[in-house]
């Protein structure tokens, strides 16, 4: 049994939801607070702006049949990556020959099996692409040829011919009404999908949205035909207006922004698209930083830590690797007042809510394995699974949750397009090289002695200077001096120990005593 989310509805109508926007010359930060808890954080810095949603005229730089993918030069310093399943058909593309008129199967899975990419794309061919995932580290941006243009109430999809309604709109009656409006509103040969904000809106609202997006699409096609070489065809909205367009609706109680220019842009934007929401936008004027006032800074600091404390006294530990995310649940100081099973159940239920918040806040993606505390009662395991799935409903990213496996763990997947928060705000520790661990003083002391012995077997220097970290030097002069003296006696050498405060715990240097020139000391 799999549980899917990303189709959530507001679980508690009494939740207080606020968007807190901090604008500075260097970066823009947007925090979603739910009941005064940081639930989602978007950060965009001027030196590394997000290009997700931007549409480009790209040139095929290389086609790789073995990967069924192509590398696309879209004007960035690093090529983007286009999978075969992300290439759209020719229907609805107007006079733009996106894939040389190759007939396509209806589903992506069938297309990937039916159509080899080398029959669709050729080197130096131009193709329209859109960024769906920013560059991450050494990986280029993920691209698609399925163009989507979001408006306030609908998403225009000019490269497909389909109609759809947001899965977050649950009322069957409303879904049928919206489908009828889309059928009456849709221009020939394009696709339309109703956004959640379209719920309850009139046909006139949709017509206005579609007309605006249709004009934008006409400009894009014209630019594609006239542009020379790869380049930007359409830039998405600024980070602040993008959040307002995509996330600000009736469920958000308030938007607070600390920049006058951004405030005016938001108000002007809403006056055209959603006048009823203008009064919910507030300008923050106090000198105290807005993120400090709303306690966002403290929440960000906690989000960078491995251990997250729970109210009950238990805690969860989040470990990130290249392949997956591991989350471990512990009772910690919480012992409960009843039986062990009840204590474990309470801790697991509380941690499920916190895990849902943390994966969304940290924007964790890929495979996530959660090691809840084992429970004997099947009914409790079912309640936990249901509780976790419900807690993930508000997450805009698509997630799936599997049943408890034979090892007592729950596996889930989450799709993300932004930068992982920890990776975006931090860098690998230069001291431990990102491992989180360094060798102990004892290990380094013994390792230093072994390396000295190996070196003395091949060298004739009688007098050397040993430079090591202060903690290692202290061990050699005290607890382990008898071992050090044994090495000196065994090889009949004179060794001066120098304590080097600036050294890494792993650093060891041996110098010739007279010239003070460093001797290469190989690590064994």
């Amino acid at each position: 049994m799999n549980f899917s989310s990303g189709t959530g509805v507001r679980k508690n109508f009494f939740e207080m939801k606020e968007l807190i926007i901090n604008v500075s010359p260097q970066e823009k930060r947007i925090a979603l607070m739910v009941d005064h808890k940081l639930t989602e954080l978007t950060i965009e810095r001027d030196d590394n702006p997000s290009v997700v949603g931007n549409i480009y005229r790209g040139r095929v730089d290389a086609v790789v049949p073995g990967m069924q993918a192509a590398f696309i030069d879209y004007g960035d310093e690093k090529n983007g990556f286009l999978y075969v399943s992300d290439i759209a058909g020719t229907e609805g593309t107007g006079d733009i020959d996106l894939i040389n008129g190759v007939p396509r199967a209806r589903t992506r899975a069938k297309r990937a099996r039916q159509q080899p990419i080398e029959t669709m794309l050729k080197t130096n061919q131009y193709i329209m692409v859109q960024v769906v995932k920013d560059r991450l580290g050494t990986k280029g941006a993920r691209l698609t040829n399925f163009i989507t243009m979001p408006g306030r109430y609908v998403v225009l999809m000019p490269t497909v011919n389909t109609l759809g309604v947001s899965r977050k709109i649950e009322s069957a009656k409303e879904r049928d009404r919206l489908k009828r409006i889309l059928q009456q509103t849709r221009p020939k040969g394009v696709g339309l999908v109703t956004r959640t904000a379209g719920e309850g809106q009139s046909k006139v609202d949709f017509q206005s949205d579609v007309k605006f997006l249709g004009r934008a699409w006409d400009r894009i096609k014209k630019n594609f035909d006239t542009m020379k070489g790869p380049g930007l065809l359409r830039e998405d909205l600024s980070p602040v207006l993008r959040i307002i367009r995509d996330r600000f609706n009736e469920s958000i109680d308030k938007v607070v922004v600390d920049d006058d220019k951004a405030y005016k842009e938001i108000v002007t934007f809403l006056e055209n698209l959603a006048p009823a929401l203008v009064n919910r936008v507030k300008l923050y004027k106090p000198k105290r930083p807005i993120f400090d006032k709303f306690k966002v800074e403290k929440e960000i600091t906690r989000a960078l830590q491995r251990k997250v404390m729970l109210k009950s006294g238990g805690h969860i530990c989040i470990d990130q690797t290249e392949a997956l995310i591991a989350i471990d649940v512990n009772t910690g100081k919480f012992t409960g007042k009843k039986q062990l099973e009840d204590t474990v159940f309470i801790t697991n239920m509380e941690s499920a809510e916190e895990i849902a918040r943390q994966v969304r806040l940290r924007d964790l993606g890929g495979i996530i394995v959660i090691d809840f505390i084992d429970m004997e009662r099947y009914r409790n395991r079912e309640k936990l699974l249901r509780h976790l799935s419900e807690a993930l409903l508000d997450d805009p990213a698509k997630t799936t949750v599997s049943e408890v496996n034979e090892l007592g763990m729950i596996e889930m997947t989450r799709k993300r397009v932004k930068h992982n928060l920890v990776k975006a705000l931090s860098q690998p520790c230069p001291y431990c090289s990102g491992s989180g661990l360094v060798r102990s003083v004892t290990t380094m002391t013994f390792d230093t002695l072994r390396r000295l012995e190996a070196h003395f077997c091949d060298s004739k220097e009688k007098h050397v200077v040993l430079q090591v970290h202060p903690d290692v030097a202290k061990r050699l002069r005290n607890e382990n001096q008898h071992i050090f003296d044994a090495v000196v006696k065994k090889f009949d050498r004179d060794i001066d120990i120098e304590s080097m405060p600036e050294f890494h715990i792993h650093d060891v240097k041996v110098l010739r005593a007279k010239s003070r020139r460093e001797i290469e000391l190989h690590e064994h």
Side-chain angles (χ1 to χ4, degrees), residues 234-248:
R234 183 176 190 258
E235 186 175 12
D236 203 2
L237 295 173
S238 68
V240 172
L241 293 185
R242 197 184 313 143
I243 287 288
I244 296 299
R245 178 195 66 195
D246 296 342
R247 307 302 299 277
F248 187 30

PDB file of all heavy atoms in Angstrom, residues 234-248:
ATOM      1  N   ARG A 234      11.733  33.753 -22.113  1.00  0.00           N
ATOM      2  CA  ARG A 234      10.811  34.334 -21.130  1.00  0.00           C
ATOM      3  C   ARG A 234      11.321  34.049 -19.733  1.00  0.00           C
ATOM      4  O   ARG A 234      11.578  32.908 -19.375  1.00  0.00           O
ATOM      5  CB  ARG A 234       9.404  33.760 -21.285  1.00  0.00           C
ATOM      6  CG  ARG A 234       8.366  34.392 -20.336  1.00  0.00           C
ATOM      7  CD  ARG A 234       6.984  33.836 -20.620  1.00  0.00           C
ATOM      8  NE  ARG A 234       5.941  34.559 -19.913  1.00  0.00           N
ATOM      9  CZ  ARG A 234       5.331  34.126 -18.809  1.00  0.00           C
ATOM     10  NH1 ARG A 234       5.681  32.963 -18.283  1.00  0.00           N
ATOM     11  NH2 ARG A 234       4.381  34.829 -18.232  1.00  0.00           N
ATOM     12  N   GLU A 235      11.465  35.113 -18.953  1.00  0.00           N
ATOM     13  CA  GLU A 235      11.904  34.978 -17.569  1.00  0.00           C
ATOM     14  C   GLU A 235      10.700  34.941 -16.657  1.00  0.00           C
ATOM     15  O   GLU A 235       9.748  35.714 -16.827  1.00  0.00           O
ATOM     16  CB  GLU A 235      12.812  36.144 -17.185  1.00  0.00           C
ATOM     17  CG  GLU A 235      13.438  36.009 -15.811  1.00  0.00           C
ATOM     18  CD  GLU A 235      14.432  37.117 -15.512  1.00  0.00           C
ATOM     19  OE1 GLU A 235      14.450  38.110 -16.283  1.00  0.00           O
ATOM     20  OE2 GLU A 235      15.182  37.006 -14.534  1.00  0.00           O
ATOM     21  N   ASP A 236      10.725  34.025 -15.692  1.00  0.00           N
ATOM     22  CA  ASP A 236       9.624  33.935 -14.753  1.00  0.00           C
ATOM     23  C   ASP A 236       9.636  35.147 -13.828  1.00  0.00           C
ATOM     24  O   ASP A 236      10.575  35.945 -13.827  1.00  0.00           O
ATOM     25  CB  ASP A 236       9.740  32.641 -13.939  1.00  0.00           C
ATOM     26  CG  ASP A 236       8.388  32.208 -13.359  1.00  0.00           C
ATOM     27  OD1 ASP A 236       7.390  32.891 -13.626  1.00  0.00           O
ATOM     28  OD2 ASP A 236       8.350  31.191 -12.648  1.00  0.00           O
ATOM     29  N   LEU A 237       8.616  35.274 -13.018  1.00  0.00           N
ATOM     30  CA  LEU A 237       8.510  36.401 -12.099  1.00  0.00           C
ATOM     31  C   LEU A 237       9.651  36.401 -11.091  1.00  0.00           C
ATOM     32  O   LEU A 237      10.332  35.391 -10.899  1.00  0.00           O
ATOM     33  CB  LEU A 237       7.169  36.332 -11.352  1.00  0.00           C
ATOM     34  CG  LEU A 237       5.904  36.501 -12.187  1.00  0.00           C
ATOM     35  CD1 LEU A 237       4.682  36.228 -11.327  1.00  0.00           C
ATOM     36  CD2 LEU A 237       5.824  37.899 -12.786  1.00  0.00           C
ATOM     37  N   SER A 238       9.832  37.532 -10.419  1.00  0.00           N
ATOM     38  CA  SER A 238      10.821  37.621  -9.341  1.00  0.00           C
ATOM     39  C   SER A 238      10.434  36.660  -8.230  1.00  0.00           C
ATOM     40  O   SER A 238       9.270  36.236  -8.141  1.00  0.00           O
ATOM     41  CB  SER A 238      10.870  39.049  -8.798  1.00  0.00           C
ATOM     42  OG  SER A 238       9.657  39.365  -8.131  1.00  0.00           O
ATOM     43  N   PRO A 239      11.378  36.274  -7.360  1.00  0.00           N
ATOM     44  CA  PRO A 239      11.066  35.313  -6.290  1.00  0.00           C
ATOM     45  C   PRO A 239       9.879  35.728  -5.438  1.00  0.00           C
ATOM     46  O   PRO A 239       9.037  34.894  -5.088  1.00  0.00           O
ATOM     47  CB  PRO A 239      12.356  35.281  -5.471  1.00  0.00           C
ATOM     48  CG  PRO A 239      13.420  35.745  -6.383  1.00  0.00           C
ATOM     49  CD  PRO A 239      12.786  36.692  -7.330  1.00  0.00           C
ATOM     50  N   VAL A 240       9.790  37.022  -5.110  1.00  0.00           N
ATOM     51  CA  VAL A 240       8.694  37.493  -4.254  1.00  0.00           C
ATOM     52  C   VAL A 240       7.359  37.373  -4.969  1.00  0.00           C
ATOM     53  O   VAL A 240       6.393  36.806  -4.430  1.00  0.00           O
ATOM     54  CB  VAL A 240       8.949  38.950  -3.810  1.00  0.00           C
ATOM     55  CG1 VAL A 240       7.730  39.502  -3.081  1.00  0.00           C
ATOM     56  CG2 VAL A 240      10.177  39.025  -2.911  1.00  0.00           C
ATOM     57  N   LEU A 241       7.276  37.860  -6.198  1.00  0.00           N
ATOM     58  CA  LEU A 241       6.009  37.793  -6.935  1.00  0.00           C
ATOM     59  C   LEU A 241       5.653  36.360  -7.313  1.00  0.00           C
ATOM     60  O   LEU A 241       4.469  36.010  -7.415  1.00  0.00           O
ATOM     61  CB  LEU A 241       6.077  38.675  -8.185  1.00  0.00           C
ATOM     62  CG  LEU A 241       6.178  40.184  -7.940  1.00  0.00           C
ATOM     63  CD1 LEU A 241       6.125  40.936  -9.257  1.00  0.00           C
ATOM     64  CD2 LEU A 241       5.070  40.671  -7.008  1.00  0.00           C
ATOM     65  N   ARG A 242       6.664  35.520  -7.510  1.00  0.00           N
ATOM     66  CA  ARG A 242       6.404  34.110  -7.811  1.00  0.00           C
ATOM     67  C   ARG A 242       5.696  33.433  -6.639  1.00  0.00           C
ATOM     68  O   ARG A 242       4.743  32.660  -6.812  1.00  0.00           O
ATOM     69  CB  ARG A 242       7.729  33.409  -8.122  1.00  0.00           C
ATOM     70  CG  ARG A 242       7.570  32.075  -8.849  1.00  0.00           C
ATOM     71  CD  ARG A 242       8.929  31.428  -9.024  1.00  0.00           C
ATOM     72  NE  ARG A 242       9.911  32.371  -9.517  1.00  0.00           N
ATOM     73  CZ  ARG A 242      11.186  32.371  -9.131  1.00  0.00           C
ATOM     74  NH1 ARG A 242      11.615  31.504  -8.231  1.00  0.00           N
ATOM     75  NH2 ARG A 242      12.024  33.248  -9.625  1.00  0.00           N
ATOM     76  N   ILE A 243       6.184  33.731  -5.425  1.00  0.00           N
ATOM     77  CA  ILE A 243       5.550  33.164  -4.231  1.00  0.00           C
ATOM     78  C   ILE A 243       4.128  33.693  -4.082  1.00  0.00           C
ATOM     79  O   ILE A 243       3.197  32.950  -3.748  1.00  0.00           O
ATOM     80  CB  ILE A 243       6.381  33.512  -2.973  1.00  0.00           C
ATOM     81  CG1 ILE A 243       7.678  32.696  -2.944  1.00  0.00           C
ATOM     82  CG2 ILE A 243       5.578  33.261  -1.702  1.00  0.00           C
ATOM     83  CD1 ILE A 243       7.495  31.231  -2.640  1.00  0.00           C
ATOM     84  N   ILE A 244       3.946  34.985  -4.331  1.00  0.00           N
ATOM     85  CA  ILE A 244       2.610  35.580  -4.239  1.00  0.00           C
ATOM     86  C   ILE A 244       1.668  34.926  -5.246  1.00  0.00           C
ATOM     87  O   ILE A 244       0.524  34.596  -4.933  1.00  0.00           O
ATOM     88  CB  ILE A 244       2.680  37.105  -4.473  1.00  0.00           C
ATOM     89  CG1 ILE A 244       3.499  37.775  -3.359  1.00  0.00           C
ATOM     90  CG2 ILE A 244       1.288  37.705  -4.550  1.00  0.00           C
ATOM     91  CD1 ILE A 244       2.930  37.607  -1.970  1.00  0.00           C
ATOM     92  N   ARG A 245       2.137  34.724  -6.460  1.00  0.00           N
ATOM     93  CA  ARG A 245       1.299  34.097  -7.489  1.00  0.00           C
ATOM     94  C   ARG A 245       0.968  32.652  -7.147  1.00  0.00           C
ATOM     95  O   ARG A 245      -0.184  32.214  -7.286  1.00  0.00           O
ATOM     96  CB  ARG A 245       2.021  34.142  -8.845  1.00  0.00           C
ATOM     97  CG  ARG A 245       1.261  33.479  -9.990  1.00  0.00           C
ATOM     98  CD  ARG A 245       2.178  33.250 -11.183  1.00  0.00           C
ATOM     99  NE  ARG A 245       3.219  32.267 -10.881  1.00  0.00           N
ATOM    100  CZ  ARG A 245       4.312  32.084 -11.627  1.00  0.00           C
ATOM    101  NH1 ARG A 245       4.512  32.828 -12.701  1.00  0.00           N
ATOM    102  NH2 ARG A 245       5.208  31.176 -11.288  1.00  0.00           N
ATOM    103  N   ASP A 246       1.990  31.900  -6.701  1.00  0.00           N
ATOM    104  CA  ASP A 246       1.816  30.461  -6.531  1.00  0.00           C
ATOM    105  C   ASP A 246       1.250  30.057  -5.172  1.00  0.00           C
ATOM    106  O   ASP A 246       0.585  29.032  -5.060  1.00  0.00           O
ATOM    107  CB  ASP A 246       3.159  29.748  -6.738  1.00  0.00           C
ATOM    108  CG  ASP A 246       3.683  29.902  -8.157  1.00  0.00           C
ATOM    109  OD1 ASP A 246       2.881  30.244  -9.042  1.00  0.00           O
ATOM    110  OD2 ASP A 246       4.891  29.700  -8.364  1.00  0.00           O
ATOM    111  N   ARG A 247       1.521  30.849  -4.125  1.00  0.00           N
ATOM    112  CA  ARG A 247       1.190  30.376  -2.785  1.00  0.00           C
ATOM    113  C   ARG A 247       0.181  31.236  -2.032  1.00  0.00           C
ATOM    114  O   ARG A 247      -0.455  30.769  -1.091  1.00  0.00           O
ATOM    115  CB  ARG A 247       2.479  30.287  -1.939  1.00  0.00           C
ATOM    116  CG  ARG A 247       3.589  29.485  -2.582  1.00  0.00           C
ATOM    117  CD  ARG A 247       3.162  28.055  -2.908  1.00  0.00           C
ATOM    118  NE  ARG A 247       2.789  27.339  -1.708  1.00  0.00           N
ATOM    119  CZ  ARG A 247       3.659  26.747  -0.890  1.00  0.00           C
ATOM    120  NH1 ARG A 247       4.955  26.807  -1.164  1.00  0.00           N
ATOM    121  NH2 ARG A 247       3.254  26.115   0.181  1.00  0.00           N
ATOM    122  N   PHE A 248       0.053  32.499  -2.405  1.00  0.00           N
ATOM    123  CA  PHE A 248      -0.820  33.396  -1.644  1.00  0.00           C
ATOM    124  C   PHE A 248      -2.263  33.227  -2.098  1.00  0.00           C
ATOM    125  O   PHE A 248      -2.629  33.595  -3.204  1.00  0.00           O
ATOM    126  CB  PHE A 248      -0.358  34.845  -1.819  1.00  0.00           C
ATOM    127  CG  PHE A 248      -1.091  35.830  -0.939  1.00  0.00           C
ATOM    128  CD1 PHE A 248      -1.589  35.465   0.302  1.00  0.00           C
ATOM    129  CD2 PHE A 248      -1.285  37.142  -1.363  1.00  0.00           C
ATOM    130  CE1 PHE A 248      -2.252  36.371   1.116  1.00  0.00           C
ATOM    131  CE2 PHE A 248      -1.942  38.066  -0.561  1.00  0.00           C
ATOM    132  CZ  PHE A 248      -2.429  37.661   0.680  1.00  0.00           C
TER     133      PHE A 248
END
